[in-house]
Amino acid sequence: MDSIKHAVELARSAEHGARIVDGHSVVPQGNAPDALREIRLNPAHLDTNRIVAYGGISGQPGRYYDMLRTQVLQEMDKKGWQFLAVTSPTPGCGKTVTACNLAMSIARLPERSVLLVDLDLRKPTLATYFGFKPEHGVTDVLEGQGALSSAIVQTAIGPTKMLVLPGSTTSHNSSEWMASQTMATLLERIKRDFRSRTVIFDLPPMLLGDDVISILPRMDAVLLIAAVGSTSVADIKECQKHLQRTPVVRVVVNKTAVAAEGYYGYGYY
Ligand SMILES: Nc1ncnc2c1ncn2[C@@H]1O[C@H](COP(=O)(O)OP(=O)(O)OP(=O)(O)O)[C@@H](O)[C@H]1O
Ligand SMILES: [Mg+2]
């Protein structure tokens, strides 16, 4: 019942175009308000977690993500898309690493801004990869335990800033949350409050449950990550069945053996 009540409250604030929630100012289009918690990221921690697209001295592998960024943005701009889902057929293909790097690469562009959202409700890892402890996560927001504005943090490294909505685990069934009206209302609100930003969602694997299938209709496009050695053709075909109505902007083949060019072997199609 609490979640229904919370959904109604979220919907009501959306109807009224509210910019204040639970006493916190909500992020106005594109710019972070002073109220947001800012976290400076540690380059050594990022490197350890293969997040390299921040343009530091180890920026060379990041150029692969910059190329992916350009292609993804061209496609998204052409179609007027804002919401990009990052998923894979099976676990461990590199979704979170790719989502973090792509988001950071986009955030480095002076005229672009990004919100990166952890929608892996079973196993949220974004905050760990970035090296911070969230006060609240997506599930807290869904459950009415925390305001959206207190869950979103502004991460910063050098001059690059990016908003991150970290995840938090749920004691409830994650696929029920994914399919819920509360989630729909939260996504509508994100779409409205962050309309000048590209919003990237780090999702769970597609074939592990129905979490991704539930949320796909709310996404504009999908970036599908496959991994050499762990993704089979049958897995990709199985995913295709669920991707009839949501366009796949690119398929990244991760963990390829072209490591001679750097430790980041991947290609995209
Ligand atoms: N291109 C790559 N080359 C080598 N290792 C990689 C590459 N990309 C990711 N990894 C490693 O693979 C592991 C899984 O990566 P990641 O957490 O991004 O996958 P995931 O698809 O998000 O996993 P999960 O399904 O558990 O959420 C991590 O240890 C990561 O460092
Ligand atoms: Mg992941």
PDB file of all heavy atoms in Angstrom, residues 60-61 63-64 255-266:
ATOM      1  N   GLN A  60      44.075   6.703 -23.186  1.00  0.00           N
ATOM      2  CA  GLN A  60      44.115   6.046 -24.492  1.00  0.00           C
ATOM      3  C   GLN A  60      42.999   5.006 -24.691  1.00  0.00           C
ATOM      4  O   GLN A  60      42.291   5.067 -25.696  1.00  0.00           O
ATOM      5  CB  GLN A  60      45.508   5.438 -24.725  1.00  0.00           C
ATOM      6  CG  GLN A  60      45.734   4.861 -26.101  1.00  0.00           C
ATOM      7  CD  GLN A  60      45.609   5.903 -27.220  1.00  0.00           C
ATOM      8  OE1 GLN A  60      45.390   7.095 -26.959  1.00  0.00           O
ATOM      9  NE2 GLN A  60      45.705   5.456 -28.455  1.00  0.00           N
ATOM     10  N   PRO A  61      42.777   4.078 -23.742  1.00  0.00           N
ATOM     11  CA  PRO A  61      41.698   3.115 -23.961  1.00  0.00           C
ATOM     12  C   PRO A  61      40.336   3.793 -24.055  1.00  0.00           C
ATOM     13  O   PRO A  61      39.410   3.260 -24.661  1.00  0.00           O
ATOM     14  CB  PRO A  61      41.748   2.213 -22.719  1.00  0.00           C
ATOM     15  CG  PRO A  61      43.084   2.425 -22.125  1.00  0.00           C
ATOM     16  CD  PRO A  61      43.476   3.830 -22.461  1.00  0.00           C
ATOM     17  N   ARG A  63      39.493   6.082 -25.872  1.00  0.00           N
ATOM     18  CA  ARG A  63      39.102   6.509 -27.224  1.00  0.00           C
ATOM     19  C   ARG A  63      38.123   5.522 -27.856  1.00  0.00           C
ATOM     20  O   ARG A  63      37.321   5.896 -28.697  1.00  0.00           O
ATOM     21  CB  ARG A  63      40.316   6.773 -28.110  1.00  0.00           C
ATOM     22  CG  ARG A  63      41.012   5.572 -28.662  1.00  0.00           C
ATOM     23  CD  ARG A  63      42.330   5.954 -29.321  1.00  0.00           C
ATOM     24  NE  ARG A  63      43.119   4.777 -29.587  1.00  0.00           N
ATOM     25  CZ  ARG A  63      43.074   4.093 -30.729  1.00  0.00           C
ATOM     26  NH1 ARG A  63      42.294   4.488 -31.709  1.00  0.00           N
ATOM     27  NH2 ARG A  63      43.812   3.018 -30.889  1.00  0.00           N
ATOM     28  N   TYR A  64      38.172   4.260 -27.424  1.00  0.00           N
ATOM     29  CA  TYR A  64      37.198   3.300 -27.942  1.00  0.00           C
ATOM     30  C   TYR A  64      35.791   3.709 -27.516  1.00  0.00           C
ATOM     31  O   TYR A  64      34.843   3.618 -28.273  1.00  0.00           O
ATOM     32  CB  TYR A  64      37.517   1.879 -27.443  1.00  0.00           C
ATOM     33  CG  TYR A  64      38.851   1.379 -27.937  1.00  0.00           C
ATOM     34  CD1 TYR A  64      39.939   1.286 -27.081  1.00  0.00           C
ATOM     35  CD2 TYR A  64      39.019   1.030 -29.272  1.00  0.00           C
ATOM     36  CE1 TYR A  64      41.170   0.850 -27.536  1.00  0.00           C
ATOM     37  CE2 TYR A  64      40.248   0.581 -29.741  1.00  0.00           C
ATOM     38  CZ  TYR A  64      41.315   0.499 -28.870  1.00  0.00           C
ATOM     39  OH  TYR A  64      42.534   0.071 -29.322  1.00  0.00           O
ATOM     40  N   LYS A 255      35.285  -7.801 -24.463  1.00  0.00           N
ATOM     41  CA  LYS A 255      36.291  -8.793 -24.070  1.00  0.00           C
ATOM     42  C   LYS A 255      36.841  -9.563 -25.270  1.00  0.00           C
ATOM     43  O   LYS A 255      37.035 -10.781 -25.204  1.00  0.00           O
ATOM     44  CB  LYS A 255      35.717  -9.766 -23.033  1.00  0.00           C
ATOM     45  CG  LYS A 255      35.137  -9.073 -21.793  1.00  0.00           C
ATOM     46  CD  LYS A 255      34.756 -10.062 -20.722  1.00  0.00           C
ATOM     47  CE  LYS A 255      34.176  -9.367 -19.519  1.00  0.00           C
ATOM     48  NZ  LYS A 255      33.794 -10.271 -18.449  1.00  0.00           N
ATOM     49  N   THR A 256      37.038  -8.849 -26.373  1.00  0.00           N
ATOM     50  CA  THR A 256      37.612  -9.504 -27.543  1.00  0.00           C
ATOM     51  C   THR A 256      39.114  -9.660 -27.348  1.00  0.00           C
ATOM     52  O   THR A 256      39.689  -9.073 -26.441  1.00  0.00           O
ATOM     53  CB  THR A 256      37.367  -8.689 -28.837  1.00  0.00           C
ATOM     54  OG1 THR A 256      37.998  -7.424 -28.671  1.00  0.00           O
ATOM     55  CG2 THR A 256      35.899  -8.516 -29.104  1.00  0.00           C
ATOM     56  N   ALA A 257      39.722 -10.419 -28.243  1.00  0.00           N
ATOM     57  CA  ALA A 257      41.141 -10.717 -28.067  1.00  0.00           C
ATOM     58  C   ALA A 257      42.052  -9.674 -28.701  1.00  0.00           C
ATOM     59  O   ALA A 257      43.246  -9.902 -28.818  1.00  0.00           O
ATOM     60  CB  ALA A 257      41.440 -12.084 -28.643  1.00  0.00           C
ATOM     61  N   VAL A 258      41.493  -8.531 -29.101  1.00  0.00           N
ATOM     62  CA  VAL A 258      42.364  -7.528 -29.728  1.00  0.00           C
ATOM     63  C   VAL A 258      43.060  -6.677 -28.666  1.00  0.00           C
ATOM     64  O   VAL A 258      43.279  -5.501 -28.832  1.00  0.00           O
ATOM     65  CB  VAL A 258      41.594  -6.611 -30.726  1.00  0.00           C
ATOM     66  CG1 VAL A 258      41.208  -7.372 -31.950  1.00  0.00           C
ATOM     67  CG2 VAL A 258      40.399  -5.947 -30.063  1.00  0.00           C
ATOM     68  N   ALA A 259      43.433  -7.362 -27.585  1.00  0.00           N
ATOM     69  CA  ALA A 259      44.043  -6.650 -26.469  1.00  0.00           C
ATOM     70  C   ALA A 259      45.381  -6.021 -26.833  1.00  0.00           C
ATOM     71  O   ALA A 259      45.897  -5.188 -26.117  1.00  0.00           O
ATOM     72  CB  ALA A 259      44.216  -7.589 -25.291  1.00  0.00           C
ATOM     73  N   ALA A 260      45.932  -6.422 -27.991  1.00  0.00           N
ATOM     74  CA  ALA A 260      47.190  -5.820 -28.423  1.00  0.00           C
ATOM     75  C   ALA A 260      47.041  -4.315 -28.558  1.00  0.00           C
ATOM     76  O   ALA A 260      47.982  -3.565 -28.340  1.00  0.00           O
ATOM     77  CB  ALA A 260      47.608  -6.428 -29.750  1.00  0.00           C
ATOM     78  N   GLU A 261      45.838  -3.857 -28.871  1.00  0.00           N
ATOM     79  CA  GLU A 261      45.619  -2.420 -29.049  1.00  0.00           C
ATOM     80  C   GLU A 261      45.418  -1.718 -27.715  1.00  0.00           C
ATOM     81  O   GLU A 261      45.270  -0.522 -27.653  1.00  0.00           O
ATOM     82  CB  GLU A 261      44.365  -2.219 -29.890  1.00  0.00           C
ATOM     83  CG  GLU A 261      44.601  -2.578 -31.333  1.00  0.00           C
ATOM     84  CD  GLU A 261      43.652  -1.821 -32.224  1.00  0.00           C
ATOM     85  OE1 GLU A 261      43.659  -0.582 -32.161  1.00  0.00           O
ATOM     86  OE2 GLU A 261      42.907  -2.467 -32.957  1.00  0.00           O
ATOM     87  N   GLY A 262      45.368  -2.437 -26.655  1.00  0.00           N
ATOM     88  CA  GLY A 262      45.092  -1.865 -25.343  1.00  0.00           C
ATOM     89  C   GLY A 262      44.418  -2.969 -24.563  1.00  0.00           C
ATOM     90  O   GLY A 262      44.140  -4.022 -25.112  1.00  0.00           O
ATOM     91  N   TYR A 263      44.108  -2.727 -23.290  1.00  0.00           N
ATOM     92  CA  TYR A 263      43.516  -3.834 -22.560  1.00  0.00           C
ATOM     93  C   TYR A 263      42.016  -3.839 -22.694  1.00  0.00           C
ATOM     94  O   TYR A 263      41.317  -4.521 -21.995  1.00  0.00           O
ATOM     95  CB  TYR A 263      43.961  -3.815 -21.100  1.00  0.00           C
ATOM     96  CG  TYR A 263      43.386  -2.734 -20.243  1.00  0.00           C
ATOM     97  CD1 TYR A 263      42.422  -3.020 -19.291  1.00  0.00           C
ATOM     98  CD2 TYR A 263      43.826  -1.426 -20.372  1.00  0.00           C
ATOM     99  CE1 TYR A 263      41.919  -2.017 -18.483  1.00  0.00           C
ATOM    100  CE2 TYR A 263      43.327  -0.432 -19.575  1.00  0.00           C
ATOM    101  CZ  TYR A 263      42.381  -0.733 -18.626  1.00  0.00           C
ATOM    102  OH  TYR A 263      41.864   0.236 -17.824  1.00  0.00           O
ATOM    103  N   TYR A 264      41.507  -3.071 -23.613  1.00  0.00           N
ATOM    104  CA  TYR A 264      40.080  -2.957 -23.739  1.00  0.00           C
ATOM    105  C   TYR A 264      39.507  -3.603 -24.953  1.00  0.00           C
ATOM    106  O   TYR A 264      38.820  -2.976 -25.668  1.00  0.00           O
ATOM    107  CB  TYR A 264      39.665  -1.482 -23.767  1.00  0.00           C
ATOM    108  CG  TYR A 264      39.124  -1.185 -22.478  1.00  0.00           C
ATOM    109  CD1 TYR A 264      39.968  -0.716 -21.488  1.00  0.00           C
ATOM    110  CD2 TYR A 264      37.835  -1.525 -22.166  1.00  0.00           C
ATOM    111  CE1 TYR A 264      39.496  -0.549 -20.225  1.00  0.00           C
ATOM    112  CE2 TYR A 264      37.383  -1.351 -20.912  1.00  0.00           C
ATOM    113  CZ  TYR A 264      38.214  -0.876 -19.948  1.00  0.00           C
ATOM    114  OH  TYR A 264      37.765  -0.718 -18.696  1.00  0.00           O
ATOM    115  N   GLY A 265      39.793  -4.800 -25.298  1.00  0.00           N
ATOM    116  CA  GLY A 265      39.255  -5.315 -26.526  1.00  0.00           C
ATOM    117  C   GLY A 265      37.751  -5.260 -26.625  1.00  0.00           C
ATOM    118  O   GLY A 265      37.071  -5.905 -25.852  1.00  0.00           O
ATOM    119  N   TYR A 266      37.226  -4.480 -27.555  1.00  0.00           N
ATOM    120  CA  TYR A 266      35.819  -4.614 -27.895  1.00  0.00           C
ATOM    121  C   TYR A 266      35.559  -4.035 -29.261  1.00  0.00           C
ATOM    122  O   TYR A 266      36.328  -3.235 -29.795  1.00  0.00           O
ATOM    123  CB  TYR A 266      34.878  -4.003 -26.838  1.00  0.00           C
ATOM    124  CG  TYR A 266      34.710  -2.516 -26.885  1.00  0.00           C
ATOM    125  CD1 TYR A 266      33.828  -1.947 -27.801  1.00  0.00           C
ATOM    126  CD2 TYR A 266      35.402  -1.684 -26.023  1.00  0.00           C
ATOM    127  CE1 TYR A 266      33.660  -0.577 -27.850  1.00  0.00           C
ATOM    128  CE2 TYR A 266      35.232  -0.317 -26.076  1.00  0.00           C
ATOM    129  CZ  TYR A 266      34.361   0.231 -26.993  1.00  0.00           C
ATOM    130  OH  TYR A 266      34.208   1.566 -27.034  1.00  0.00           O
TER     131      TYR A 266
END
